[in-house]
Amino acid sequence: MLLYLKVKPNQRIDRVEWVSGEWVVRLAAPAIDGKANEQLVRYLAEVLKLSKSAILLKKGHTARIKCLEIPLEPEEVRRKLEAVAAGA
């Protein structure tokens, strides 16, 4: 599935939220030299219980809106993201 989300780098902690109808991932990593993108893939792999290599950043390498290809069904991704967002 393709997952579109907004990334906010330079935050205090890594976390995922549902805000105004879209997924927002706040990352502690800065948006310098691809560090935020690397942390995004690492964090989502942890949240979704996948390997980092299973998550592919398709679009938005230098933008705040990212498109990632994830090898899971949309319902499973939503359920896992909601569980993490509720526990934050």
Side-chain angles (χ1 to χ4, degrees):
M1 79 157 283
L2 294 179
L3 174 65
Y4 289 86
L5 48 82
K6 181 185 276 187
V7 173
K8 293 190 174 187
N10 295 318
Q11 304 294 306
R12 280 189 266 151
I13 60 171
D14 296 341
R15 70 176 186 238
V16 63
E17 303 172 324
W18 180 254
V19 178
S20 299
E22 67 182 353
W23 289 109
V24 177
V25 178
R26 298 178 186 275
L27 299 171
I32 299 172
D33 298 328
K35 290 181 181 178
N37 288 338
E38 292 171 13
Q39 181 60 24
L40 173 65
V41 170
R42 190 176 311 119
Y43 178 64
L44 286 179
E46 179 183 319
V47 167
L48 299 173
K49 298 180 181 17
L50 296 169
S51 67
K52 291 184 291 185
S53 62
I55 299 174
L56 179 62
L57 179 57
K58 299 284 282 183
K59 295 179 187 175
H61 288 79
T62 59
R64 292 201 186 257
I65 303 295
K66 309 288 184 187
C67 175
L68 297 112
E69 186 174 338
I70 299 174
L72 296 173
E73 293 298 319
E75 182 60 31
E76 186 176 359
V77 171
R78 183 190 59 75
R79 186 174 37 82
K80 288 180 177 184
L81 291 177
E82 283 178 349
V84 171

